[in-house]
Structure formats: structure tokens, C-alpha cells
Amino acid sequence: MKRMLSLFLLLFTQFVYSQTNPITGTVVNDKTGQPLEGITVRLLPAGSVAVTNAQGKFIFKSTTETGNNLQCSGMGYQNSTLTLEALRQQHGVFSLTPEAITLNAITVAGHTTDPYKPISKIDIAMRGVNNSQEVLRIVPGLFIGQHQGGGKAEQIFLRGFDCDHGTDISLQVDGMPVNMVSHAHGQGFADSHFIIPETIEAVNFKKGPYYAEKGDFATTGYVDFHTRNMLPQNEIKLEGGMFNTYRALGMFNLLSKKAREKQQSWYVATEYRYSDSYFDNPQHFNRFNFFTKYNGKLSDHTSLIFTASTFYSKWNASGQIPDRAVANGDIGFYGALDPNEGGVTSRTNANVELLTSLRNGDLIKNQFFYTYYTFDLHTNFTFFLVDSINGDEIRQREKRNLFGYKGSYEHTDNIGSVKLLTTAGVQVRADATNNTELAHTKDRYTLLDDIKLGDITELNAGAYISETLLLNGHFTLNAGLRFDQFFYRYNNKLAGDTTLPGAGIYKAHDQVVSPKLSLYYQVNTNTEFYLSTGKGFHSNDARGVVARNGVEVLPAAYGADLGTIFKPARNLLVNAALWYIYLQQEFVYGGDGGAVEFSGPTRRTGVDLSARYQPIPAIYIDADVNYAHGRSVGSPKGADYIPLAPEWSSTGGITYVLKNGLNGSLRYRYLADRPANEDYSLTASGYCVTDFILNYTKPKYEIGFTINNLLNTKWKETQFDTETRLKGETHSVDEICFTPGTPFAAKISFALFF
């Protein structure tokens, strides 16, 4: 007994000693003073590794290994080595000098559990984000389509999924959700147009349902946008182009340079855009955005990030037109059958995040956010199919308050030679809509009859834990578990609603458990393999949930990825993956028809291949090729196609940055033919479109020239199998209805930097 007690005291003494003599520090950008997250810090010569957190802090808890020097490395920064004595003299601050990101400088090592990070970092650095569409197109394999002329959320395609407007992909900006649950138009509606492209500093994305911190909608993956903590300089930009297209942008720092060097930053950004667009029916598109962000230290261990934004958009739309209307000469390729389509939408956000580092190196995050959102859309998909006199125009409208909280705790520990990273968190969002409406209208504002009308209250509370074990110098294991609870309440104000037995309050609830498991094998600094498996889900509209009494309303998505990221040469980076996704049930509330749409379980397999090549520093070549094979499970062969599911797709381009200030790119995007219905009797035609950008950039100004659809290809941006009847027709026709893509469109821009 005495021996056991003596051994315990010895171990406890060693533990306390190792914990009370840590090596800590903060890594910052030596040009701006801003803390740097994700920087790899190595204790030499022992080789122990730490990674900086969101406050730029790192810690080596166990100092039993000998080490006198620290080496810091990260994409976009010069490698630097500092002695421990020098670190103490600099009060624990390690400064890194920024440098241009090149493929030569990128290593696969140091990006544990994030195989997409090297591609994301260099794409943003080289290609940038030039407009609101490029915000999403930065994700390899992701395609978007617009069928309301620019005022509505884009239709998204990824990994063989028609994600509609966001049903099967999670979008966030600075940790705040973009997706809207139980939306008037469709589940998961994700309108990202409130993001000003020039404010984006990083885009983090991962594919598949393998990440414990991500819950609703993250079946094909997620995209997180991160805005700049500070502006490198003030900017005023003016743009003008064909089809009466204009844009004005202003971005201004509000604090002095000395304040920014002390990690205090505050700036504003605003933009206004107008366009008649290329449609025969002028779009009269108006959009106004305002954004502000404050980032500062409250103490040595606590920092505050506050963002606020507002957005307003109004437009007319040409909508979707049937093939026969163009073939018959009733309208042109860019024409409209219902000139009253269009809408108005707005979104105002407030977002507060507190980051607190503990003395033991752990990090606590607390985030609160609020959104007030309005949406009012008029569309006509079937024309005179149902009402041969007044037409089938519908109105979808809602007003929403969204409240949310996210809290997480990050802990790092050592168990012998094994390093353990633990993240645990809770997430809560509450949505409340007032008079969510689906109505039959005429000439936009004449109400004919209500189809659905009511108030929606929805609460999603989730908790998760993620454990990452660095087993040795090569293997990393990540295991996660997530639990989500949903509560739904619908106050039906329409006695004639055919999906419910009468007016009144309806309630339901459901929950889901989502396990995750990933294994990463680091062969060397330039080669990694990974195997990921996990369960995800997407929620369904509250109106559909209460109609089913909460039964089977959270269909599971089971996925697996087997992939690799490697550098066969110093200037070539390749990411390849074989993937699989099984979805229990593809059914969501169809706001266009007011009913739940069922399609049964589906199974998809595919291949993603991305390559980045930089033959010389001035030239950057990227290419993504994606294949997806998807089928409905249980349907007869030949009648089991998944409508609009992409099969072959590819994007790529050449970007050039010359020392004389000339820079730009030539890019393409290719989407192959795909089935428009279950038996492939109708085809959604593919397309290949090229875009060209040329800039002349100097320290004080930039002149830009952009051409969308350089070869003036006539293409269909979105397509649907729709049964329609035109005015005067006696019979309906089931065929492709489409929204045309942009023809040749040129614009110029001029920007001042100061």
C-alpha cells in the first residue's frame, strides 16, 4: 500500500510540474498585429507540435522533452525560428512576416483533419472572390444556378445532389447560419447575397457528413465564410457594364494604425448594385449591403468580435419558360411569359463572439447572434395549368426572427506520447415566423385565395463532442458524437389547408444521434490518406413535420470518403476521393405546391479529383473533375434516375499575376447532360461557359475588365421537368422549363486604395 501511495505521489508530482511549467505564447502578423490561427509551432529539437487557436495562442504543457527553440510555420507566412529566451524577452509574442502563398511553400503536413485546407487557402490567395457568385464557386465541385434573375438564393449542386437552395448543404458566415429552416420557398433556403465579396478573407469547406460540430443540412458538406478581422487598406470601387449594370463599393477602417497594431480593429463596408440584366423583361435589380466588424482585446485572455449587417434587394424576374414557347416563337430565348414575377427581401444581422483563453491553454467560445429577415416572392411555374382564366401565379412571403447561441470548449492534453484534442459544444437556434404565406395571386398584388397561412416556431438544440488523437507522428484519429433535438409548433390560420384537419396549433418533436469517425495517415510531409465515415441529416419544414406527427422527419444520411492529398512535385498539389452517400428519404416541404414531396431513399457514389499546378510563380492552373452516380433505391431499373442530379462536371482555369501589375484569369465551368426526370425521358442539357478577367493593379489603384461568357454560348442555367399550360392551350405539356444563362456580358471597374 505504501509503495502504491509513493508511486501515486511521484506521478502526481511529475504531472503538476509539467502543468505548472508550460511553454506558452501568441503568434501574430507582424504587419497588422492581428493574432494568427492555425499556425504550426514546433519545439526543437524534440519535435513536439502545437497549433495556435483562434486567439493565436499556443501551449506546450509537457516540457519533459528537451527543447530550446520554437519554429513557426503557416501558409502565407515566412517560416521563423525563435529561442525560448527571445520569446520571454518579447513577452511571449512571436511575430510572423506575411509572404505570397505559392504551391512550393505548401506542405500537406500540419493540416490535421482538414485535407481541403491547402486547396482552399491557395485558391483564395490566387483567384480571389470577384463577385457574389464566386463566393460559392470557390468550392471544388459545387455548381450554382439562378432562376429568379439574381434576387433569390441560388440553386446548389454538389456530389450528385440537387441541394435546391440549401437543403443538403450547410452555409455559415462568421459562425452564423445562412440556411433558413421552414422557409416560405423551400427548406434550407440559403441566400448568401448579404455577404459583400471583398470582405471575405477565408472560405473553409469540407465534404460529407463527418464533422461533429456541424448538424442540420450538412449532408453533402458545409461551407464556412470568414470575413476579415481588419482591412489591409481603405477602398472605393466603381463598376459599370452591359445591360445597365452598375456597382459602387466603399470599405473604410475606422480606427488608427496604432489601434490596429494593438489588436483593435473596426471597419465598415457598403455596396449598392443596379442591373436591368440580359432578359427581355428588364430586371430593375436593386441591392444594398452594409457591413461592419469590430475585433479587439478586452484583456490578455479575452477578445471580442462583433459584426452587424443589413441587406435589401428588390427585382423583377423572367422566371422559368417552357421550351415550346421559344420554339413556337411566342417569346425569345430571354423572354418572359409572366412579367409580374419578382420579389423583395431583406436581412439584418447582429453577431457577437467572445473568445477566452485559460492559463492551461484551453479555449472557450461563446457566440450570440440575431437575424431579422423578410421575404416576398412572386413566381409562376405552370402559367395556366390550374387556373385557365387568371393564371397560376403564387406569392410566398414571411417575416422571421432568428435567435442563436453557440458555445464550445477546446482542451488539449497529453496521455503519454499521445496528444488528445477535445472539443465539446452546445448549439441552439430558435426561429419564429409571422404569417408565413403561400397564396394564389394575379398581377403580383391581387390576392385570389390562400393556400397556406400560419406562424411557425422551431427550436433546434444540439450538443456534440469531438475527440482527436494524434497517435504518433503518422496516425490521427477523430471520433465525434452529436445529438440534436427539434421542437416544432405551427399555428395554422387557414381552415381550408388541405394538409391539416383544420385551423389551430399543431406540435411535434423529434431527435437524432449522429456518430462520426475519421482516420488520417500522414505518410510524409507531402502525402496523406484519409478514411471518413459518419451520419448526418437534414431537417424538414415544420408544416410537413406536424402533418406527419413528427414521424420519420429527420432522414439520415450515411456517408464514407476514402481519399488522399499529395504533392508529387513541389509545384503540383492533388486531392482525390472516392465517396458514398445513402440518404434514407429525400422529402422536403415544397413551397411552390404547398405539400410534402416524397421520393424515397437514394444512393450515390462518386469520384472527386482536384489538381493545382504552378509552373512558375506568375502562373496558377487549377482543375476540378467530379463524377457522381446516383439512383433511387427500390425503384425499377430505368425509372430510378434522380432528377437533376449532376453526373459529370468540371471547373478550372488559368490565373496569372505579373510583376508589372497585370493579373487576371481565364476560367471555364462544364456541366454535362443529366436526367430531368425519373426515367430520363427528359434531359437537362449541359453547358460549358468561359469567363475572362483582366486587371491592372498598383498600390494605389486598380483598373479591371471582366467578361462573363466570353464565347457568347447560349445555355440554360437552370432546368426543370414541369407540366405547364400556356394561355389559350387546351392541353398541358410536360417538358423542360428553363432560365437562360447570361450571354456575353462585359464590365469595367476602377478602384482606389488608400
Side-chain angles (χ1 to χ4, degrees):
M1 183 67 181
K2 290 182 179 180
R3 290 182 179 180
M4 291 181 62
L5 182 59
S6 299
L7 179 61
F8 172 78
L9 291 174
L10 176 62
L11 292 174
F12 180 76
T13 301
Q14 291 180 341
F15 173 79
V16 170
Y17 178 82
S18 68
Q19 299 301 306
T20 56
N21 292 273
I23 299 173
T24 63
T26 303
V27 182
V28 302
N29 182 322
D30 72 353
K31 301 295 184 184
T32 66
Q34 289 291 309
L36 299 176
E37 182 180 6
I39 298 296
T40 300
V41 185
R42 287 182 172 84
L43 179 63
L44 301 177
S48 300
V49 175
V51 178
T52 59
N53 62 22
Q55 288 187 312
K57 296 182 181 295
F58 66 88
I59 185 169
F60 291 93
K61 293 186 176 182
S62 174
T63 59
T64 55
E65 295 179 285
T66 58
N68 299 310
N69 299 293
L70 292 174
Q71 182 188 69
C72 282
S73 60
M75 281 189 288
Y77 295 92
Q78 296 177 10
N79 290 356
S80 181
T81 301
L82 198 67
T83 65
L84 294 182
E85 179 59 30
L87 181 68
R88 283 190 286 269
Q89 292 175 359
Q90 296 175 191
H91 306 287
V93 177
F94 200 139
S95 299
L96 292 186
T97 302
E99 66 175 1
I101 296 180
T102 63
L103 277 176
N104 284 342
I106 287 179
T107 62
V108 174
H111 310 297
T112 304
T113 74
D114 191 355
Y116 298 100
K117 187 174 182 179
I119 283 180
S120 172
K121 279 279 190 180
I122 195 165
D123 278 359
I124 285 285
M126 296 299 297
R127 290 167 49 189
V129 179
N130 301 293
N131 53 56
S132 57
Q133 283 73 41
E134 289 295 326
V135 167
L136 287 172
R137 288 180 182 150
I138 205 75
V139 179
L142 188 150
F143 272 70
I144 60 174
Q146 178 59 255
H147 52 262
Q148 269 288 332
K152 193 172 72 170
E154 282 83 8
Q155 186 179 10
I156 301 173
F157 302 94
L158 182 65
R159 283 201 159 179
F161 278 74
D162 171 11
C163 301
D164 196 33
H165 299 290
T167 305
D168 288 292
I169 182 169
S170 171
L171 303 182
Q172 295 186 356
V173 55
D174 292 331
M176 182 175 61
V178 178
N179 302 75
M180 294 293 180
V181 298
S182 303
H183 188 270
H185 183 72
Q187 180 68 348
F189 191 86
D191 185 354
S192 59
H193 294 127
F194 67 91
I195 307 171
I196 299 175
E198 286 84 354
T199 64
I200 295 175
E201 184 172 47
V203 180
N204 296 334
F205 60 84
K206 293 182 183 179
K207 298 179 183 180
Y210 314 125
Y211 318 105
E213 72 276 14
K214 301 298 179 182
D216 202 3
F217 306 119
T219 51
T220 64
Y222 73 84
V223 183
D224 286 353
F225 304 106
H226 299 277
T227 59
R228 299 177 183 273
N229 280 337
M230 66 167 293
L231 298 180
Q233 56 198 347
N234 300 327
E235 179 179 351
I236 296 176
K237 187 175 186 179
L238 298 175
E239 299 178 359
M242 297 171 62
F243 313 115
N244 290 327
T245 298
Y246 309 100
R247 179 174 182 253
L249 168 75
M251 301 172 61
F252 309 98
N253 281 303
L254 299 180
L255 298 181
S256 66
K257 185 177 179 181
K258 288 185 177 180
R260 296 197 299 271
E261 290 173 351
K262 295 179 181 179
Q263 299 183 22
Q264 305 285 331
S265 173
W266 184 21
Y267 70 90
V268 296
T270 185
E271 71 165 345
Y272 172 76
R273 185 182 180 205
Y274 177 88
S275 179
D276 283 335
S277 197
Y278 51 86
F279 301 101
D280 295 342
N281 182 42
Q283 185 178 351
H284 301 312
F285 176 79
N286 288 269
R287 185 168 76 214
F288 171 78
N289 286 69
F290 176 84
F291 175 82
T292 186
K293 185 172 188 178
Y294 171 82
N295 174 44
K297 294 177 63 176
L298 301 181
S299 68
D300 289 339
H301 296 280
T302 302
S303 57
L304 168 70
I305 300 174
F306 172 76
T307 62
S309 64
T310 190
F311 150 84
Y312 174 85
S313 183
K314 182 179 181 180
W315 70 99
N316 295 328
S318 288
Q320 298 150 212
I321 55 176
D323 278 343
R324 70 184 183 281
V326 178
N328 295 339
D330 297 337
I331 57 174
F333 189 77
Y334 301 101
L337 290 173
D338 186 346
N340 294 301
E341 293 192 59
V344 180
T345 187
S346 68
R347 177 168 179 161
T348 299
N349 307 295
N351 189 12
V352 180
E353 186 173 7
L354 284 169
L355 306 176
T356 303
S357 291
L358 305 182
R359 294 186 181 277
N360 64 355
D362 293 353
L363 181 68
I364 298 175
K365 295 182 181 180
N366 287 286
Q367 181 179 11
F368 302 87
F369 52 86
Y370 167 75
T371 293
Y372 176 71
Y373 172 81
T374 69
F375 180 83
D376 191 353
L377 180 69
H378 293 263
T379 51
N380 192 343
F381 300 103
T382 55
F383 306 107
F384 291 88
L385 176 67
V386 179
D387 188 334
S388 61
I389 305 299
N390 299 299
D392 299 343
E393 183 183 277
I394 60 173
R395 182 181 196 180
Q396 297 162 317
R397 180 168 56 165
E398 72 165 56
K399 291 183 179 179
R400 174 188 303 259
N401 287 285
L402 188 163
F403 303 86
Y405 167 76
K406 289 183 176 180
S408 65
Y409 181 81
E410 299 176 9
H411 173 73
T412 303
D413 209 344
N414 293 87
I415 305 175
S417 61
V418 176
K419 191 170 186 178
L420 177 64
L421 309 176
T422 301
T423 302
V426 294
Q427 300 168 353
V428 180
R429 70 173 285 178
D431 292 72
T433 74
N434 180 35
N435 285 331
T436 297
E437 177 185 13
L438 172 62
H440 179 201
T441 59
K442 180 183 178 182
D443 301 330
R444 187 173 287 201
Y445 296 113
T446 301
L447 175 64
L448 297 178
D449 58 86
D450 284 312
I451 302 171
K452 295 190 81 71
L453 180 66
D455 302 331
I456 300 170
T457 304
E458 183 170 336
L459 175 68
N460 172 207
Y464 67 91
I465 185 168
S466 175
E467 299 281 5
T468 302
L469 287 84
L470 284 71
L471 301 176
N472 52 40
H474 297 283
F475 284 99
T476 299
L477 178 69
N478 174 259
L481 187 66
R482 181 181 182 92
F483 173 78
D484 283 272
Q485 176 72 54
F486 287 84
F487 297 94
Y488 310 88
R489 181 183 185 274
Y490 181 54
N491 179 18
N492 179 28
K493 299 180 179 180
L494 191 63
D497 188 334
T498 57
T499 64
L500 295 168
I505 295 176
Y506 296 83
K507 297 180 180 180
H509 62 87
D510 202 359
Q511 58 279 323
V512 60
V513 177
S514 306
K516 327 278 185 176
L517 183 65
S518 296
L519 178 65
Y520 303 84
Y521 175 60
Q522 194 83 49
V523 180
N524 50 49
T525 57
N526 288 317
T527 304
E528 179 183 89
F529 294 94
Y530 58 92
L531 174 63
S532 297
T533 62
K535 175 186 175 184
F537 69 95
H538 71 236
S539 65
N540 283 282
D541 191 286
R543 290 161 290 187
V545 171
V546 298
R548 291 176 57 86
N549 295 316
V551 178
E552 297 180 351
V553 294
L554 292 173
Y558 298 94
D561 266 54
L562 176 62
T564 180
I565 180 168
F566 64 99
K567 290 186 69 177
R570 290 188 63 200
N571 56 357
L572 176 62
L573 179 67
V574 178
N575 191 328
L578 299 171
W579 57 267
Y580 167 90
I581 298 179
Y582 173 85
L583 190 60
Q584 277 186 335
Q585 178 69 262
E586 290 201 33
F587 70 93
V588 295
Y589 173 80
D592 303 332
V596 177
E597 300 172 353
F598 297 87
S599 62
T602 57
R603 182 182 294 114
R604 293 170 174 85
T605 56
V607 180
D608 289 344
L609 178 63
S610 298
R612 304 294 185 264
Y613 179 54
Q614 197 169 15
I616 59 175
I619 302 295
Y620 177 68
I621 301 172
D622 65 281
D624 302 305
V625 179
N626 308 95
Y627 172 73
H629 178 272
R631 293 291 186 269
S632 296
V633 178
S635 300
K637 188 174 182 179
D640 57 351
Y641 292 95
I642 303 174
L644 302 181
E647 294 183 341
W648 285 101
S649 65
S650 179
T651 60
I654 300 175
T655 302
Y656 50 93
V657 182
L658 306 182
K659 292 183 179 180
N660 63 2
L662 286 175
N663 61 90
S665 64
L666 178 65
R667 302 198 58 75
Y668 77 89
R669 57 186 185 276
Y670 166 75
L671 185 63
D673 291 352
R674 59 198 192 280
N677 55 5
E678 288 80 0
D679 60 5
Y680 213 155
S681 58
L682 290 175
T683 300
S685 302
Y687 59 82
C688 184
V689 179
T690 55
D691 300 323
F692 174 72
I693 298 173
L694 176 64
N695 298 316
Y696 182 65
T697 306
K698 289 296 183 179
K700 296 297 183 181
Y701 67 91
E702 179 181 79
I703 301 172
F705 179 61
T706 301
I707 299 177
N708 292 321
N709 195 355
L710 178 66
L711 303 179
N712 200 25
T713 302
K714 185 173 283 189
W715 60 294
K716 299 175 180 179
E717 185 166 7
T718 57
Q719 300 166 75
F720 299 89
D721 169 21
T722 308
E723 183 182 2
T724 63
R725 183 168 65 170
L726 305 183
K727 192 170 186 178
E729 289 184 336
T730 57
H731 299 287
S732 63
V733 178
D734 192 1
E735 64 175 344
I736 292 292
C737 291
F738 70 94
T739 299
T742 179
F744 180 97
K747 69 176 181 180
I748 58 173
S749 64
F750 179 73
L752 284 175
F753 310 121
F754 58 96

